[in-house]
């Protein structure tokens, strides 16, 4: 009880003494206490900021997209220059003598190559040294350089073609402490923070030393910041030079050191430091910088190269070795002298590094972000399975179907041919798109979305909806074959008038404004006769043609108007490619693919995109249609393709031209590849080009350069071949004697040539007189074109 009274008495005395202080003292003490509380709260805020960042994902790692890996084997048709292009795109470098991973050297008919270790979806492939021998643009043999052991096959690590960045557009290759070369660590600390393992985030001696040096020089010549302070500035703060920022930097450096191990801080610094700019991509960390400047893994860098990167920490733009080589060399020399003085390297290593060239690799040959149109398509497919955050922050590895060789050929031939067409027509502003796929599985090998291949933005291959003209006609003829028509069914190519949208009369016409009388059906497609095609479509039913188009893989709501039969429908090049992919696959629907596999950041398999196949049409009917598409090329509107490719390729294809020559199309396929080309002006004005005089020429130049396989259509069971005299519609199992014009056509079983048409199409009632002259007229007109 007595003790309680004593305490109360003491508090009372304190209060009385407090009352005795002047007001300004009371206010001063109160302000001080509030400042202390505010400071503690602010430090707590900074502490929570650091903990939240360091205990979560330190960086948003973009998803990285790779091209298809190049598989090499004896007898592969590939030249040394073509292989060098692939190696350059994949980030390989040409050395005087290939010794380290990622290097190759070239001799007469031989390439020595050291592959890099790589995590493929089916496992890791170790680095190895190989000798590749070539004969006449063919890979003759593969052997191990060290032992001479013959190798039957070799898979190269694929080119890194792009990534999906968050808004800050930063990129890095994140390394663990164990992956950091000790030479780099020791050199970095010797130059930037010699007391790193002895201070607590701040180094008073370094600050005083820098202050003295800067005072004597009259300008800032030396910094006193520790690595921890630099990391805080790069990670949490800005580069503004204010006392407030410096105070925050000092507090956060102390907090960072209090919570985390020195090696954690060092590793974070090595991965975070900004070391250059690759277009719109910021190069962060020594791991990516090593590859960006030298095309080497960090562990494979020489002392001179490490000194170059360490020297660039002070100013990546100012000491850029590609732009300012002399400046960079002087800075490297300073770093090398520090490394020698601090016993990081010995005298012999110093002398060798001092005399070494910068040895930076040009960035122009790199495939990174070189194919924005293709990456658009990759992103579109990924969006079906993954949220945007996963693509920009979780470091997924996307293995795509891009074939760098095909892409390069497409870009070169597309640009050259468009320029030639503009010179010939005297018009400017022509643009277009190209998509190339593998015929057998629908994998997209190359995409061009416009004339500026490196520019992101409007991707015409994916989003440009343009009228397709006669490209729609195979859907009509396929629907007719499903209703019993044959290639020999007589069809009238004569004028007609129909009610179209809103009941308005519609009178279609042929491109040459000529009627061609009664013809066999296959000639209607071969010569793209509008009148015959409309009659077939109306007989089959426009609704049935629309269903056929959708079964070919083109989704959408298409009004079943008669004008639909002549291509009054707008599709993208990608949609047209899917349509013709189904035809090229023999009636099997193959959803087009741009992704083969996805790995997580830790290289575990997330998803494999397998081949999906669905039969949509009878193989016999598609076989007949594809035979007609071969007639388009051998004798019809695409006959000029023979200027680029031998008729022995047996190409199947179709030209397309919209009204007023606004759009020029060609879609066709060989034995192994399918390609669709669209040409047009972005303002939808006339190009002055038909499908045959524009897009076909681009297609022909591309395929001539790609050396595709000939098309050998697989004949289904139940197909019979007969000879036809187009003038009289007579058929025979053997050639007609003395017939001037006859053609051998496929039929399904013993179908009658008149099946499917109206009774007036019966050949017995056909007026034979003048048909020979009509055929000659058609052929002569198209030859003149």
């Amino acid at each position: 009880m007595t003790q309680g009274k004593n305490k109360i008495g003491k508090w009372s005395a304190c209060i009385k003494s407090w009352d005795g202080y002047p007001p300004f003292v009371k206010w001063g003490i109160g302000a001080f206490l509030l400042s202390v509380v505010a400071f503690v709260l602010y430090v707590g805020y900074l502490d929570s900021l650091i903990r939240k960042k360091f205990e979560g994902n330190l960086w948003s790692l973009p998803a990285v997209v790779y091209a298809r890996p190049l598989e090499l084997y004896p007898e592969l048709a590939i030249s040394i220059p073509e292989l060098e292009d692939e190696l350059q795109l994949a980030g390989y470098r040409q050395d005087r003598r290939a010794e380290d991973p990622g290097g190759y050297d070239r001799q007469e008919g031989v390439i020595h190559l050291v592959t890099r270790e790589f995590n493929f979806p089916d496992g890791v492939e170790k680095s190895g040294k190989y000798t590749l021998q070539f004969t006449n643009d063919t890979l003759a043999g593969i052997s191990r350089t060290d032992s001479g052991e013959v190798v039957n096959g070799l898979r190269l690590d694929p080119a890194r073609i792009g990534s999906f960045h968050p808004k800050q557009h930063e990129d890095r290759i994140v390394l663990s402490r164990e992956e950091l070369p000790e030479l780099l660590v020791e050199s970095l600390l010797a130059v930037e923070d010699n007391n790193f393992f002895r201070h607590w985030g701040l180094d008073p001696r370094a600050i005083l030393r820098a202050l003295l040096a800067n005072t004597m020089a009259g300008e800032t010549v030396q910094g006193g910041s520790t690595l921890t302070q630099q990391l805080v500035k790069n990670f949490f703060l800005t580069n503004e030079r204010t006392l407030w920022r410096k105070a925050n930097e000092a507090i956060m450096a102390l907090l960072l050191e209090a919570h985390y191990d020195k090696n954690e801080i060092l590793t974070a610094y090595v991965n975070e430091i900004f070391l250059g700019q690759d277009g719109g991509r910021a190069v962060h960390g020594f791991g990516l910088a090593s590859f960006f400047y030298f095309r080497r893994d960090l562990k494979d860098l020489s002392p001179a190269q490490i000194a170059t990167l360490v020297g660039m920490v002070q100013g990546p733009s100012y000491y850029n070795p590609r732009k300012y080589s002399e400046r960079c060399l002087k800075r490297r020399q300073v770093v090398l002298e520090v490394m020698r003085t601090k016993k990081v390297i010995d005298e012999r290593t110093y002398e060798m590094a001092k005399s070494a060239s910068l040895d930076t690799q040009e960035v122009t040959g790199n495939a990174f972000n070189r194919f924005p149109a293709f990456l658009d398509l990759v992103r579109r497919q990924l969006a079906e399975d993954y949220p945007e955050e996963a693509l920009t922050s979780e470091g997924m590895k996307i293995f795509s179907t891009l074939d760098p060789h095909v892409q390069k050929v497409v870009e070169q031939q597309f640009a050259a041919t468009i320029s030639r067409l503009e010179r010939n027509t005297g018009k400017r502003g022509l643009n277009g798109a190209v998509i190339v796929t593998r015929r057998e599985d629908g994998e997209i090998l190359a995409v061009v979305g416009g004339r500026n291949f490196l520019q992101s933005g409007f991707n015409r291959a994916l989003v440009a909806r343009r009228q397709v003209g006669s490209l729609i006609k195979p859907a009509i003829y396929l629907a007719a074959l499903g209703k019993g028509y044959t290639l020999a069914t007589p069809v009238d190519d004569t004028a007609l008038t129909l009610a179209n949208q809103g009941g308005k009369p519609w009178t279609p016409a042929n491109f040459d404004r000529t009627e061609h009388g009664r013809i066999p059906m296959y000639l209607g497609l071969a010569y793209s006769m509008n009148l015959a095609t409309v009659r077939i479509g109306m007989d089959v039913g426009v609704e049935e043609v629309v269903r056929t188009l959708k079964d070919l893989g083109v989704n959408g709501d298409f009004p079943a108007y008669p004008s639909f039969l002549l291509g009054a429908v707008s599709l993208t090049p990608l949609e047209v490619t899917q349509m013709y992919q189904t035809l090229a696959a023999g009636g099997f629907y193959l959803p087009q693919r741009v992704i083969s596999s996805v790995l997580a950041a830790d290289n575990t398999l997330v998803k494999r995109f397998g081949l999906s196949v669905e039969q949509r049409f009878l193989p016999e009917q598609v076989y007949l249609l594809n035979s007609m598409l071969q007639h388009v090329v051998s004798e019809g509107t695409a006959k000029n393709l023979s200027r680029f490719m031998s008729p022995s390729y047996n190409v199947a294809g179709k030209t397309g031209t919209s009204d007023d020559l606004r759009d020029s199309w060609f879609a066709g396929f060989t034995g192994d590849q399918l390609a669709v080309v669209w040409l047009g002006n972005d303002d939808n004005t006339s190009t002055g080009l038909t499908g045959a005089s524009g897009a076909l020429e681009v297609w022909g130049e591309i395929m001539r350069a790609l050396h595709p396989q000939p098309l050998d259509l697989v004949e289904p069971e139940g197909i019979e071949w007969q000879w036809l005299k187009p003038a009289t519609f007579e058929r025979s199992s053997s050639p007609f004697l003395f017939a001037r014009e006859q053609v051998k056509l496929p039929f399904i079983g013993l179908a009658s040539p008149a099946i499917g048409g109206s009774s007036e199409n019966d050949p017995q009632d056909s007026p034979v007189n003048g048909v020979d002259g009509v055929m000659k007229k058609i052929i002569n007109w198209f030859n003149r074109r």
Side-chain angles (χ1 to χ4, degrees):
M1 187 71 176
T2 304
Q3 290 179 351
K5 290 182 178 180
N6 290 336
K7 287 183 178 179
I8 292 172
K10 289 179 180 180
W11 279 111
S12 298
C14 287
I15 292 172
K16 288 180 180 179
S17 64
W18 175 257
D19 289 338
Y21 283 108
F24 74 89
V25 174
K26 295 179 183 179
W27 282 107
I29 294 173
F32 173 74
L33 292 175
L34 285 175
S35 298
V36 170
V37 172
F39 177 75
V40 170
L41 290 175
Y42 185 66
V43 171
Y45 162 73
L46 294 179
D47 187 66
S48 65
L49 197 67
I50 290 172
R51 286 173 175 268
K52 182 179 178 181
K53 183 72 172 178
F54 261 72
E55 292 174 7
N57 290 327
L58 287 178
W59 300 280
S60 293
L61 299 179
V64 177
V65 185
Y66 295 93
R68 61 94 182 93
L70 178 61
E71 296 186 356
L72 301 173
Y73 50 88
E75 304 305 320
L76 174 67
I78 185 171
S79 65
I80 287 182
E82 288 172 351
L83 177 57
E84 282 194 291
D85 285 342
E86 291 263 358
L87 293 173
Q88 289 288 322
L89 284 173
Y92 279 72
R93 66 191 178 278
Q94 185 171 6
D95 295 335
R96 285 186 291 272
R97 180 180 175 86
E99 294 288 350
D100 301 320
Y104 75 94
D105 64 62
R106 173 180 174 176
Q107 300 175 8
E108 186 67 29
V110 175
I111 280 185
H112 296 107
L113 172 69
V114 185
T115 62
R116 293 186 291 245
E117 181 177 304
F118 191 80
N119 285 281
F120 288 95
D122 56 359
V124 179
E125 290 208 5
K126 300 293 185 180
S127 171
K129 296 182 178 181
Y130 299 93
T131 298
L132 313 179
Q133 295 180 319
F134 293 80
T135 304
N136 298 327
D137 293 340
T138 300
L139 180 57
I142 308 173
S143 61
R144 294 190 180 276
T145 303
D146 296 335
S147 64
E149 175 189 353
V150 174
V151 177
N152 293 325
L154 173 63
R155 180 169 57 173
L156 300 183
D157 50 300
R160 190 179 186 215
I161 62 173
S163 60
F164 301 129
H165 294 272
K167 292 182 179 179
Q168 61 266 33
H169 290 283
E170 294 181 0
D171 199 11
R172 56 179 51 78
I173 296 175
V174 177
L175 302 172
S176 66
R177 176 61 182 90
E178 293 73 24
E179 294 174 305
L180 303 183
E182 286 306 311
L183 181 61
L184 170 68
V185 172
E186 293 176 14
S187 302
L188 180 64
L189 296 182
V191 174
E192 292 294 324
D193 191 353
N194 197 41
N195 295 320
F196 176 74
F197 284 103
R198 293 188 291 272
H199 63 63
W200 291 357
L202 302 177
D203 189 351
R205 286 183 296 177
I207 295 173
L208 290 174
R209 187 168 56 248
L211 181 62
L212 179 61
N214 295 338
T215 301
M216 293 179 64
E219 58 179 335
T220 302
V221 296
Q222 184 176 331
S225 296
T226 63
L227 283 191
T228 311
Q229 288 177 273
Q230 293 180 43
L231 177 61
V232 166
K233 182 184 71 173
N234 293 333
F235 230 27
F236 301 101
L237 305 174
T238 66
N239 287 323
E240 62 176 344
R241 296 186 174 184
T242 63
L243 290 176
W244 177 251
R245 197 268 292 169
K246 292 296 290 184
N248 280 325
E249 179 185 297
I251 295 169
M252 295 179 81
L254 291 171
L255 291 170
L256 195 62
E257 292 270 359
H259 288 306
Y260 300 102
D261 178 77
K262 285 284 188 180
N263 280 313
E264 289 182 87
I265 296 171
L266 175 63
T267 304
Y269 179 90
V270 168
N271 286 312
E272 171 61 22
I273 187 69
F274 171 70
L275 286 170
Q277 196 74 27
D278 180 17
R281 174 181 68 143
V283 177
H284 282 259
F286 282 87
L288 182 58
S290 172
F291 193 81
F292 178 64
Y293 291 109
F294 302 111
R295 297 196 177 192
R296 291 176 180 267
D297 291 333
L298 189 59
K299 60 183 174 59
D300 296 323
L301 291 187
S302 68
Q305 292 165 334
I306 285 178
T308 299
L309 294 184
V310 170
M312 292 176 65
V313 168
Q314 195 176 90
S317 300
Y318 187 79
Y319 294 114
N320 186 328
R322 295 194 180 110
K323 290 185 177 180
Y324 309 110
S325 58
E326 290 299 320
R327 192 183 293 170
C328 182
L329 279 171
K330 290 180 181 179
R331 176 61 183 163
R332 187 187 74 176
Q333 181 59 29
V334 171
V335 173
L336 286 171
E337 288 174 358
V338 172
M339 292 167 66
R340 179 182 60 173
T341 303
K342 299 292 178 63
K343 307 299 183 182
V344 176
I345 57 176
D346 57 26
E347 188 66 30
R348 180 173 178 274
T349 304
Y350 167 78
E351 292 296 335
M352 291 178 62
K354 179 182 176 181
S355 61
S357 63
L358 279 176
D359 197 30
T360 56
Q361 300 286 318
E362 288 299 321
V363 73
T364 52
N366 201 323
F368 200 84
N369 289 333
R370 270 278 288 108
F371 314 114
F374 186 89
L375 291 174
D376 282 347
L377 195 50
V378 172
R379 191 165 200 150
R380 174 185 288 194
Q381 184 169 339
L382 285 171
E384 298 174 3
D385 299 292
Y386 304 100
E388 180 69 14
E389 183 180 356
L391 298 182
T392 59
S393 64
E394 296 183 6
M396 294 192 302
K397 299 175 182 178
I398 315 300
F399 292 84
S400 78
T401 60
L402 179 95
D403 186 316
H405 172 64
V406 175
Q407 180 74 32
K408 179 182 179 181
V409 167
V410 170
E411 290 178 355
Q412 289 177 338
Q413 300 305 323
F414 178 78
T417 309
I418 277 190
S419 296
R420 175 169 57 81
L421 292 172
E422 284 185 330
R423 290 194 299 271
N424 293 343
T425 61
K427 296 187 176 183
R428 295 292 180 266
L430 186 62
N431 222 309
V434 182
I435 299 178
V436 180
T437 73
R438 199 190 321 275
R439 179 185 167 225
E440 63 186 15
D441 56 18
E443 289 189 349
I444 295 179
L445 307 178
V447 178
V448 164
R451 294 185 71 166
N452 192 338
F453 311 128
L454 299 177
Q455 181 177 341
S456 300
F458 185 55
N459 189 343
R460 294 160 188 82
L462 308 189
V463 299
R465 293 192 168 276
R466 303 296 288 254
Q467 287 204 351
V468 296
S470 295
L471 284 191
I472 203 74
K473 288 178 179 176
I476 302 168
Y477 285 80
L478 183 57
L481 290 168
K483 294 295 184 180
Y485 277 74
T486 74
L487 274 64
T489 297
V491 180
D492 286 331
D493 187 64
T494 54
L496 72 165
T497 300
L498 302 166
N500 200 15
Q501 182 179 4
K504 298 178 182 178
W506 178 56
T507 304
N510 284 326
F511 186 83
D512 62 349
R513 305 295 175 182
T514 303
E515 299 177 30
H516 303 111
R518 183 160 292 184
I519 58 168
M521 186 179 78
Y522 84 94
L523 286 179
L525 184 59
Y527 290 94
S528 202
M529 297 180 189
N530 292 338
L531 300 177
T533 300
V534 170
R535 287 186 178 275
I536 294 171
M538 294 304 296
D539 185 46
V540 170
V542 182
E543 295 83 358
E544 182 64 27
V545 176
V546 170
R547 280 194 293 272
T548 300
L549 180 64
K550 291 182 176 181
D551 285 342
L552 286 169
V554 182
N555 298 316
D557 295 324
F558 305 111
Y561 300 131
S563 58
F564 175 87
L565 301 172
L566 294 185
V569 57
S570 295
L571 301 177
T572 66
L574 183 65
E575 290 172 324
V576 171
T577 306
Q578 182 64 75
M579 170 186 172
Y580 279 82
Q581 187 76 53
T582 305
L583 297 177
F588 290 87
Y589 173 69
L590 301 172
Q592 294 170 329
R593 297 184 301 147
V594 290
I595 304 171
S596 59
S597 302
V598 175
L599 298 185
D602 61 359
N603 296 315
T604 56
L605 182 64
V606 175
K607 184 173 182 179
R608 194 182 298 275
F609 289 74
L611 182 63
S612 174
V613 181
E614 178 187 348
Q615 185 174 352
R616 297 276 180 94
F617 300 94
L618 293 176
E620 299 89 343
Q621 295 169 0
V622 178
Y623 180 80
L624 297 186
L625 179 71
N626 288 341
S627 297
M628 283 196 280
L629 291 176
Q630 287 180 316
H631 281 278
V632 173
V633 176
S634 64
E635 61 174 304
T637 57
K639 186 177 181 179
N640 282 341
L641 194 61
S642 61
R643 292 170 44 211
F644 307 95
M645 303 174 68
S646 167
S648 63
Y649 280 98
N650 300 320
V651 174
K654 185 70 189 76
T655 55
T657 309
S658 66
D659 291 343
D660 300 323
L661 307 182
R662 291 190 177 97
D663 302 280
S664 171
W665 292 87
F666 186 75
F669 52 94
T670 65
D672 55 349
Q673 292 170 341
L674 177 148
V676 171
V677 177
W678 166 76
L679 300 181
N681 296 325
D682 288 340
D683 60 4
N684 205 27
T685 55
S686 175
T687 64
L689 300 168
T690 65
S693 63
L696 179 142
E697 301 217 354
V698 176
W699 195 99
E701 294 286 12
I702 290 172
M703 285 299 169
R704 175 161 61 181
L706 287 177
H707 308 294
Q709 296 296 316
L711 176 60
D712 184 13
L713 296 175
V714 178
E715 184 177 308
E717 292 185 8
I719 295 295
E720 294 184 2
W721 290 81
Q722 292 196 338
W723 290 89
L724 172 75
K725 289 170 62 175
T728 62
F729 299 95
E730 295 178 72
R731 278 172 33 187
S732 171
S733 58
S734 57
F736 293 97
L737 296 176
F738 309 115
R740 288 182 300 172
E741 295 178 2
Q742 56 182 313
V743 61
K744 193 176 184 180
L745 300 174
F747 296 88
I748 301 175
L750 298 174
S752 165
I755 291 177
S758 62
S759 60
E760 66 177 2
N761 282 344
D762 193 298
Q764 280 80 2
D765 298 329
S766 168
V768 177
N769 292 335
V771 174
D772 278 323
V774 170
M775 291 299 302
K776 289 180 179 178
K777 187 177 181 180
I778 295 171
I779 294 170
N780 289 336
W781 179 76
F782 277 100
N783 283 339
R784 288 198 304 272
R785 291 182 68 207

